[in-house]
Each structure stands twice: as C-alpha cells, then as structure tokens.
Amino acid sequence: MGGQRIVVVGASLAGFRAAEELRTAGHDGPITVVGDEPHAPYERPPLSKQVLAGTQPPAATAIHPATGSIDDLALDFRLGASATGLDLAARTVLLGGGDRLPYDGLVIATGASARRLPGTDHLAGVHTLRTLDDCLALRAELEGAPRRVAVVGAGFIGAEVAATCRGMGLDVSLIEALPVPLERGLGPQMGAVMADLHRDHGVDVRLGVGVVRIDGEERAERVRLTDGTVLDVDVVVVGIGVTPNTDWLEGSGLTLDNGVVCDETCLAAPGVVAAGDVARWPNATFDEVMRVEHWDNAIAMGAHAARTLLAGPEGAEAFAPVPWFWSDQYDRKVQLAGRAGADDDVEVVSGSVEERRFVAFYGRSGRVVGVLGMNQPAKVARWRSLVEQRTAWDDALAIAGAAA
Ligand SMILES: Cc1cc2nc3c(=O)[nH]c(=O)nc-3n(C[C@H](O)[C@H](O)[C@H](O)COP(=O)(O)OP(=O)(O)OC[C@H]3O[C@@H](n4cnc5c(N)ncnc54)[C@H](O)[C@@H]3O)c2cc1C
C-alpha cells in the first residue's frame, strides 16, 4: 500500500499502535488518525490505579512510540473529531462536521464505552470510568472525602476502583449482582478468592444483589438494593461493563455483532481491518470467536491489523494470540494468560490461596486454557507457553508439579 492513504479511526491504544506499525513496516503514504477525545493518545490502566489515587499525574499516561518521538511518525491527527459514518463502496469515512476522508486502507479502533445505570444521568455523584476526563472528575469527588463510595459492579474496573478508594482511606461498598466478584473474568472459584481479598481490606462486599435505584435530589444520596438494603452514599461508581463503539458503522455493510466482526486475520471488509476492544474475530488457538478488552491485546491486534492491511488478503496471517491481562488491587498483582470460564476445571498448582500468592491452571476439554497468578509474575510468564502450545491438562499439571 506504499503511498496510499490510510485512515485510522480511534486515537487510543490500538489505533496508535496500528499507525506506528504501519510506519515501522515502511508505509510512507499519509496516515490520518481520527479521535473523538480532545487528548493525544493515552494509557487507560492508570485511570483506575495511580492517576485515580493521585500518585501519578495525568501527563504520565501519554502513549509514546517504541523509538523516537510521536512527531517522527508523521501522523495527521484529527482530535476532537467523531467519525459518524462509513461509505464502504466509496471508501470514505464521514466526520461529524461534514468532512469526508477518503481512504485506501481503514483501521477501525474505536474501542468501547462504559455502560451507564439507566435513570441516573441527571444525578451528580454517579460516575463511570473509561476516559481521562472521567478519571479526573471522579478523582475530584474522592478528594472531597465522601462518607461512602458505592461501587456498582465488581468486574476489573469496579474491583480496582474499590481497592484504590480503600487505599485513600475511604469507606467502600462493592455491589455485585453475581455470586462473586470477577466471575466472568476468573470463574466462581477464583472470584471467591477475590471477594475475600476485598473483605480483608475492609470493603463492604455485597454479592448476589442488584441496584433497584439511586435516590437523591440533585446528587446521589442513597443506593437501594434488591435485598431491601439502603446505603447512604456520596459517590457512586458504576462498573457494569462496556459496549463496543460501533454506532457510527450501523448500515455500513460491515457485520456488527457485539463488535466489528473480522476474519482470522483482522480483516472486516476489503481494505478494512479492526483491532482492540471493538473487534471480534475467530482465535484459532482457542477455537473461539472472541472480543478481548485487554491492554496487551489492543497493542498486539493493532499491530497485526496494520500488517494485514499492508499484506493484502493473499499475504495476511491469522491472529491467534493467548490473551493476557493484569490487574492491580491493593498489593496484589493478578495476571491471567489465556481464558477462564465458569465451567473450567481449576487447580492451584503453586503457592496457596490463603497466602494470596499462587498460580492456578484452568482446564477445558482436556487441555490447559488459562494460567492465573496472584503475585507470581515469573510463573505466569513461564507457564503461558503451556496454553500457547495447547498442552494436555494432565501434562500441564505434571509439568507444574515437577517444578514445585
Ligand atoms: C480504567 C481502565 C483500566 C484498565 N486497566 C487495565 C489493566 O489493568 N490491564 C489490562 O489488561 N487492561 C486494562 N484496561 C483495558 C485497556 O485499557 C483497553 O483494553 C484498551 O484501552 C483498549 O484500547 P482500544 O484502543 O481498543 O480502545 P479505547 O482505549 O477504548 O480507545 C478507543 C478510542 O476511540 C474513540 N472513539 C470511539 N468512537 C469514535 C468515533 N466514532 N470517532 C472517533 N473516535 C472514536 C474513543 O473515544 C477512544 O478514544 C483498562 C481500561 C480502563 C478503562
């Protein structure tokens, strides 16, 4: 695609890494990066950790290229600009102000947006956490020493916000409709371990209950739960998952189904690739069509999608990684390489759950599919290869046993 025009929609992690890879691979044509946030690309993980806690300034989240400066990449950034439509036949992206951006190759990297709790938009004090601006607004409220913070939803964002708030000395209730925190990410057994971790740190953990409504005149004052409990609160943080940002692609002809549906090479249509939180694709390593909301995947998939665009349909390779994420909660680093499902076999192969320092394997259909570590980064890194190699469950347990 030498000399041809590439448009990247989404000026965040996947979009930026795609643009960087295009340059690294030698693409010398114009690259336009469109982003609806006003900020240059930045990292989101510190928004629920260091930046929220006030131990890192917002500027520290800036994303930098692996070598050189961002200017060296010669990207034409259109920040504060929304893509509102895609004309596949004319190979043109439509922008909010009426501008049209013709392209020869398109990277879709519009990520996802935090889901909101219905009926709360008019209430001050109710927050979601996806963007830097969300983080700064929440941080400002936490600095006001609220009496109690209610975190609704104990997925990774909710659990990290609860941990950060406890680190600031605030009273926290963590409310989850499922029986354990992080059930979708870690399954019921390890979710229960995470519930205990939060209880150890003084969080009021409320499981198996939903929110009926949030009461208040102008700002949130009380959270009413399905078990009849009423919690007095000053701040509510809603962490109930995300929705992939595909509205602007409705009617474009792309297949949209919980994300932009791609083939195994990240190709969504001729000359169009997708990457990061917005993309769904068949990952051959797991025989599964997946959409992955992890930092590592946004980087790897952004770069892979860029290579697919440059290679064309004949030369493109399958994207079949072992997904990997980490989460920092209190003084624990939780890492998962691979997948973890509710019905998987789970076996602790090193350390102990009681010490909150262990490795557990997840097994499915006779092979190891996930390696979870709590404060065991070296072992997660070592045993990740067992998932990559689709190692049989018994063999994986034997390998871990021999290393113990
Ligand atoms: C608070 C927080 C903490 C996290 N912590 C961790 C962690 O500890 N470990 C981990 O593995 N992962 C973590 N993640 C997940 C990780 O940050 C995401 O997986 C990653 O940001 C995804 O990158 P992306 O580029 O695909 O999407 P996004 O980062 O969502 O970026 C998409 C960009 O596109 C823009 N956009 C959307 N629609 C349009 C449009 N129509 N026109 C123009 N622009 C548009 C969006 O505004 C956004 O700027 C965290 C995420 C959050 C929010």
Side-chain angles (χ1 to χ4, degrees):
M1 300 202 91
Q4 296 194 300
R5 298 157 302 181
I6 296 185
V7 172
V8 179
V9 183
S12 184
L13 191 57
F16 181 78
R17 294 300 175 205
E20 183 182 20
E21 180 68 15
L22 288 166
R23 289 294 184 229
T24 306
H27 176 75
D28 57 5
I31 302 176
T32 304
V33 183
V34 181
D36 61 4
E37 292 186 67
H39 310 288
Y42 62 88
E43 301 281 9
R44 292 180 205 277
L47 305 184
S48 48
K49 310 175 186 76
Q50 300 89 338
V51 178
L52 188 61
T55 58
Q56 214 179 63
T61 61
I63 296 180
H64 301 287
T67 56
S69 79
I70 204 162
D71 292 341
D72 298 340
L73 297 176
L75 306 176
D76 172 21
F77 277 105
R78 300 279 193 101
L79 299 178
S82 283
T84 53
L86 170 65
D87 184 337
L88 269 186
R91 294 202 169 205
T92 300
V93 172
L94 316 176
L95 297 188
D99 279 1
R100 300 169 68 87
L101 287 180
Y103 64 81
D104 300 298
L106 172 65
V107 180
I108 296 172
T110 43
S113 296
R115 278 196 212 118
R116 307 184 67 85
L117 217 47
T120 60
D121 283 350
H122 65 292
L123 284 178
V126 181
H127 295 258
T128 53
L129 180 53
R130 181 75 194 181
T131 67
L132 180 55
D133 295 345
D134 293 341
C135 172
L136 297 180
L138 176 57
R139 165 88 199 146
E141 294 238 58
L142 299 183
E143 281 172 347
R147 281 170 306 162
R148 174 160 296 274
V149 179
V151 179
V152 180
F156 281 101
I157 302 294
E160 288 191 351
V161 169
T164 299
C165 289
R166 285 300 298 141
M168 297 170 75
L170 300 171
D171 284 340
V172 178
S173 294
L174 182 59
I175 301 155
E176 170 58 56
L178 294 174
V180 295
L182 298 157
E183 178 161 316
R184 288 198 189 90
L186 302 181
Q189 194 173 329
M190 290 299 145
V193 175
M194 299 306 293
D196 287 341
L197 178 69
H198 285 277
R199 288 190 190 105
D200 290 351
H201 287 83
V203 173
D204 168 38
V205 179
R206 292 172 181 265
L207 302 171
V209 285
V211 171
V212 179
R213 66 172 190 272
I214 299 175
D215 292 335
E217 286 294 312
E218 288 177 1
R219 59 172 298 129
E221 293 170 17
R222 287 172 301 281
V223 177
R224 289 183 187 276
L225 304 181
T226 48
D227 64 0
T229 309
V230 179
L231 298 172
D232 289 331
V233 299
D234 288 329
V235 175
V236 180
V237 185
V238 178
I240 55 172
V242 297
T243 309
N245 291 323
T246 56
D247 284 2
W248 67 285
L249 297 166
E250 291 291 343
S252 65
L254 292 183
T255 306
L256 306 178
D257 179 11
N258 181 26
V260 176
V261 179
C262 307
D263 73 5
E264 66 282 4
T265 71
C266 309
L267 199 67
V272 181
V273 291
D277 284 17
V278 77
R280 260 182 98 213
W281 87 107
N283 182 337
T285 300
F286 295 86
D287 307 316
E288 183 187 337
V289 179
M290 55 176 75
R291 190 175 65 75
V292 174
E293 297 167 9
H294 306 336
W295 179 87
D296 182 66
N297 190 66
I299 294 174
M301 197 173 191
H304 193 98
R307 290 192 293 273
T308 290
L309 209 50
L310 296 181
E314 303 304 312
E317 292 178 7
F319 181 59
V322 170
W324 174 86
F325 73 77
W326 86 99
S327 174
D328 297 325
Q329 298 174 38
Y330 311 102
D331 56 353
R332 302 290 108 174
K333 186 174 285 296
V334 179
Q335 296 168 301
L336 179 77
R339 307 296 275 172
D343 299 326
D344 293 344
D345 297 323
V346 182
E347 192 92 24
V348 174
V349 297
S350 172
S352 82
V353 162
E354 291 69 30
E355 290 169 36
R356 313 269 185 261
R357 190 177 147 82
F358 64 92
V359 177
F361 285 178
Y362 291 75
R364 192 183 304 167
S365 307
R367 67 185 185 97
V368 63
V369 291
V371 176
L372 173 72
M374 188 178 272
N375 280 16
Q376 293 277 30
K379 285 184 177 159
V380 174
R382 169 147 46 114
W383 287 332
R384 176 181 180 160
S385 61
L386 297 176
V387 183
E388 275 159 3
Q389 291 155 15
R390 301 171 65 102
T391 308
W393 178 239
D394 290 342
D395 293 347
L397 294 180
I399 289 166

